[in-house]
């Protein structure tokens, strides 16, 4: 990375002392990822939306101060960016980097968009089968309706 | 049941023991072919192989054919039935959740069939139950046993399902019988011709599914132009109960009426099918035609359901 580009990046997204960085989220997905993870109770949340990316053209990025997200949350993050990576930071140093991996089946997290789906009317937990990766498509295991990532609604 | 079962039939029967039937999607194309072969074997089965077994028939939505043919299938094989035909008399009316209702009912029976107005109710019931569950129709989503009896009717009348060009006419937006069968035929590689008014065309998600299955299909509002090229004409009822606005229903309710003149230019071997009940869409004058297969379809429903009940309960003659 050139010094100029590094400077540009630093201007856009400030660095964290302690916390988690979620990089390479699909463009436009940072808000949904934040909604899923929750706003940090003791720290800042920084969002970068539609940033230029060599790898993806455009990407979103999310930085959460003083938060270490769980393995379960990492799995769910794949819904918002099948190529996303999660970086844990302590004292400005990267201590661990994890590449998200979209499982074949997603339990909970998402609401089915079909108003006639049983999961929107009864005490029935949702689960979705991943039918396509990059861009992500899922199918409700109940009503079989398919949803793309821009249609995702959180429970 | 004199002839020995093939290896494929035995293997499928083993896999279906204790399983659920929720969606045509759960079958592969070869499985569908094998299953239809097994159904043919059940044509002659009348022995009480299901004696002592109880079917729980939970109909949260009205049904005549599906419910009665399941009950008939069960009784003809020596089993018994319990259940309800109206959600108003079930505990659902008191606010009981569907999974709770299922857990209670399964302690009274060996296998459950459920019809429910909400899409995905079959899956939810199957997830709640230890015992086999059959989806008898969930909203406008799936009706897999109807699809199997439709496929069986085509095979019985035409000798095969392979290579036939199948036309669907009527409500392709809400009709679950059509949705399930369209999907199954696309899986089997049949060419499909979809005929409907603009407002009742196949919904985008089903179109995408058809394309994803590599389906060969075309679409037109003009029934007359496609009849001569069809092997099967599957007519569906335009369902008043699925329309939010009665005016929308009035606009399209009698757009298509299949009568003798409609099918006159067809191939000799054409069959006309309908999941029934029909209202205006097939004129009674067609009933006497050798092309009419819809009453036979209803009769085949019993054979298909006898087969499924036996396979899921692990009892094969």
């Amino acid at each position: 990375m050139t010094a100029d580009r590094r400077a540009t990046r630093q201007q856009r997204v400030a660095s964290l002392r302690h916390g988690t960085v979620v990089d390479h989220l699909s463009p436009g997905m940072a808000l949904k990822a934040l909604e899923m993870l929750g706003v940090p109770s003791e720290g800042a949340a920084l969002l970068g939306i539609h940033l230029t990316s060599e790898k993806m053209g455009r990407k979103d990025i999310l930085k959460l101060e003083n938060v270490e997200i769980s393995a379960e949350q990492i799995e769910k993050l794949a819904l918002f960016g099948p190529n996303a990576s999660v970086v844990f930071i302590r004292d400005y140093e990267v201590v661990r980097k994890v590449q998200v991996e979209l499982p074949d089946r997603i339990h909970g997290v998402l609401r089915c968009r079909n108003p006639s789906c049983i999961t929107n009317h009864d005490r029935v937990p949702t689960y979705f089968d991943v039918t396509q990766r990059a861009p992500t498509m899922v199918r409700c295991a109940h009503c079989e309706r398919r949803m793309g990532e821009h249609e995702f609604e959180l429970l | 049941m004199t002839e020995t079962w093939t290896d494929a039939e035995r293997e499928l029967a083993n896999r279906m023991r204790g399983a659920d039937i929720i969606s045509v999607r759960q079958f592969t194309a070869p499985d569908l072919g094998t299953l239809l072969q097994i159904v043919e074997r059940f044509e002659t089965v009348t022995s009480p192989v299901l004696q002592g077994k109880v079917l729980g028939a939970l109909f949260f939505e009205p049904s005549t054919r599906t419910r009665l043919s399941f009950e008939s299938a069960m009784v003809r094989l020596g089993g018994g039935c319990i259940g309800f035909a109206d959600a108003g008399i079930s505990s659902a009316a008191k606010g009981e959740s569907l999974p709770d209702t299922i857990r209670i009912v399964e302690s009274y029976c060996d296998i459950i069939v459920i019809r429910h107005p909400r899409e995905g109710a079959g899956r939810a019931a199957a997830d709640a139950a230890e015992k086999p569950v059959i989806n008898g129709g969930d909203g406008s989503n799936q009706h897999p046993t109807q699809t199997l009896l439709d496929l069986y009717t085509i095979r019985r009348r035409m000798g095969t399902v392979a290579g036939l060009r199948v036309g669907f006419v009527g409500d392709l937006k809400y009709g679950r019988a059509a949705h399930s069968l369209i999907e199954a035929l696309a899986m089997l590689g049949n060419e499909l011709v979809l005929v409907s008014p603009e407002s009742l065309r196949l919904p985008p998600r089903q179109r995408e599914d058809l394309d994803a299955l590599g389906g060969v299909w075309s679409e037109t509002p003009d029934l007359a132009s496609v009849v001569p090229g069809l092997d099967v004409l599957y007519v569906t009822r335009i369902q008043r109960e699925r329309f939010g606005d009665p005016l929308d229903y009035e606009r399209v309710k009698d757009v298509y009426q299949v009568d003798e003149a409609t099918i006159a230019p067809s191939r000799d071997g054409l069959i006309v099918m309908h999941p029934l009940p029909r209202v205006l869409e097939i004129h009674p004058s067609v009933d006497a035609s050798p092309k009419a297969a819809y009453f036979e379809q209803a009769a085949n429903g019993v054979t298909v359901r006898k087969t499924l009940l036996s396979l899921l309960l692990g009892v094969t003659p």
Side-chain angles (χ1 to χ4, degrees):
Chain A
M1 191 183 288
T2 63
D4 278 356
R5 289 193 45 220
R6 193 176 297 121
T8 310
R9 172 178 272 200
Q10 281 166 353
Q11 278 164 15
R12 284 190 174 170
V13 187
S15 52
L16 288 180
R17 182 172 180 198
H18 301 297
T20 305
V21 178
V22 185
D23 200 358
H24 295 109
L25 288 164
S26 299
M29 287 291 131
L31 276 168
K32 282 186 180 169
L34 178 65
E35 192 186 342
M36 192 269 287
L37 296 171
V39 176
S41 53
E42 291 173 18
L46 301 163
L47 282 83
I49 294 175
H50 290 187
L51 303 181
T52 53
S53 157
E54 247 171 78
K55 202 161 87 178
M56 301 171 59
R58 294 275 172 189
K59 69 171 183 181
D60 279 14
I61 189 167
L62 180 59
K63 296 192 171 197
L64 302 173
E65 193 182 19
N66 299 331
V67 168
E68 279 209 10
I69 65 173
S70 68
E72 195 188 333
Q73 287 173 316
I74 292 173
E75 193 173 75
K76 291 172 181 171
L77 272 174
L79 280 171
F80 309 106
N83 302 313
S85 57
V86 179
V87 179
F88 295 94
I89 313 259
R90 278 185 211 141
D91 281 327
Y92 302 106
E93 294 290 329
V94 173
V95 292
R96 193 158 68 97
K97 187 171 177 179
V98 183
Q99 192 66 37
V100 302
E101 206 172 317
L102 194 57
D104 293 335
R105 180 167 276 183
I106 308 280
H107 287 269
V109 193
L110 298 178
R111 174 191 300 284
C112 181
R113 276 177 54 103
N114 174 6
S116 298
C117 181
I118 187 80
T119 59
N120 289 318
H121 294 273
D122 210 321
R123 294 186 288 280
V124 174
T126 68
Y127 61 98
F128 295 82
D129 292 318
V130 175
T131 57
Q132 186 186 297
R133 290 153 197 271
T136 309
M137 291 284 288
V138 300
R139 184 193 299 280
C140 174
H142 289 91
C143 72
E144 305 191 344
R145 182 152 303 190
R146 297 203 305 172
M147 292 195 293
E149 60 185 13
H150 289 283
E151 298 173 296
F152 289 170
E153 269 177 41
L154 298 172
L155 277 174
Chain B
M1 193 65 47
T2 47
E3 282 175 55
T4 324
W5 286 36
T6 65
D7 289 347
E9 290 169 0
R10 283 273 163 229
E11 194 272 323
L12 181 61
N14 282 336
R15 262 192 289 136
M16 288 181 70
R17 180 179 302 136
D20 306 301
I21 294 180
I22 304 303
S23 164
V24 289
R25 215 179 277 281
Q26 75 190 73
F27 296 103
T28 62
D31 278 354
L32 285 174
T34 307
L35 187 52
L36 298 183
Q37 276 167 230
I38 301 178
V39 175
E40 193 177 350
R41 294 183 175 279
F42 271 83
E43 288 258 4
T44 52
V45 174
T46 50
S47 52
V49 289
L50 297 184
Q51 195 159 25
K53 302 286 186 189
V54 176
L55 167 69
L58 311 186
F59 282 76
F60 292 88
E61 196 181 54
S63 158
T64 308
R65 275 147 302 276
T66 305
R67 183 171 60 85
L68 293 182
S69 71
F70 264 110
E71 292 186 6
S72 167
M74 198 66 190
V75 170
R76 281 181 190 278
L77 293 180
C81 299
I82 58 168
F84 52 83
D86 176 359
I89 60 169
S90 78
S91 295
K94 299 176 190 163
E96 184 174 60
S97 76
L98 178 64
D100 281 3
T101 303
I102 296 298
R103 279 183 205 109
I104 302 302
V105 170
E106 76 166 336
S107 63
Y108 306 149
C109 62
D110 302 290
I111 187 166
I112 290 172
V113 56
I114 177 172
R115 155 78 55 99
H116 199 284
R118 296 291 177 206
E119 291 157 28
R123 173 71 59 205
D127 286 346
E130 296 286 329
K131 292 181 179 154
V133 171
I134 300 175
N135 181 7
D138 59 330
S140 59
N141 184 36
Q142 284 271 338
H143 194 354
T145 65
Q146 176 73 44
T147 301
L148 293 170
L149 77 88
D150 289 340
L151 291 174
Y152 185 65
T153 303
I154 296 173
R155 183 179 182 271
R156 205 164 177 264
R157 281 291 283 261
M158 313 294 279
T160 179
V161 179
L164 301 177
R165 186 186 285 144
V166 183
F168 285 84
V169 60
D171 172 9
L172 305 185
K173 184 175 181 185
Y174 300 107
R176 66 186 158 209
H179 290 169
S180 288
L181 184 58
I182 285 171
E183 203 173 305
L185 288 169
M187 276 166 56
L188 293 169
N190 288 81
E191 186 183 336
L192 307 172
V193 182
L194 310 180
V195 184
S196 66
E198 180 64 31
S199 63
L200 293 174
R201 288 166 66 196
L202 195 71
R205 69 171 179 129
Q206 265 93 6
R207 293 159 180 274
E208 288 166 17
D209 286 346
L210 262 185
D211 289 335
L213 287 166
V216 180
W217 58 285
S218 56
E219 203 176 24
T220 173
D222 180 17
L223 177 60
S225 68
V226 300
V227 164
L230 297 177
D231 299 300
V232 177
L233 176 61
Y234 196 96
V235 187
T236 66
R237 178 170 66 98
I238 294 186
Q239 305 174 85
R240 184 200 297 261
E241 64 271 26
R242 306 261 179 237
F243 284 82
D245 183 348
L247 208 61
D248 288 340
Y249 171 71
E250 290 300 321
R251 252 182 235 124
V252 293
K253 68 175 184 184
D254 50 6
V255 177
Y256 301 107
Q257 189 180 35
V258 175
D259 55 21
E260 286 171 292
T262 317
I263 56 170
S266 73
R267 296 174 179 171
D268 286 345
L270 174 91
I271 56 169
V272 179
M273 298 176 65
H274 193 300
L276 303 179
R278 68 167 158 187
V279 187
L280 302 168
E281 58 280 355
I282 300 181
H283 193 272
S285 64
V286 180
D287 296 0
S289 163
K291 294 173 181 171
Y294 32 93
F295 292 120
E296 196 182 317
Q297 240 174 303
N300 288 338
V302 177
T303 312
V304 166
R305 286 160 181 141
K306 268 161 60 175
T307 310
L308 297 175
L309 290 167
S310 299
L311 290 176
L312 299 189
L313 287 168
V315 182
T316 47

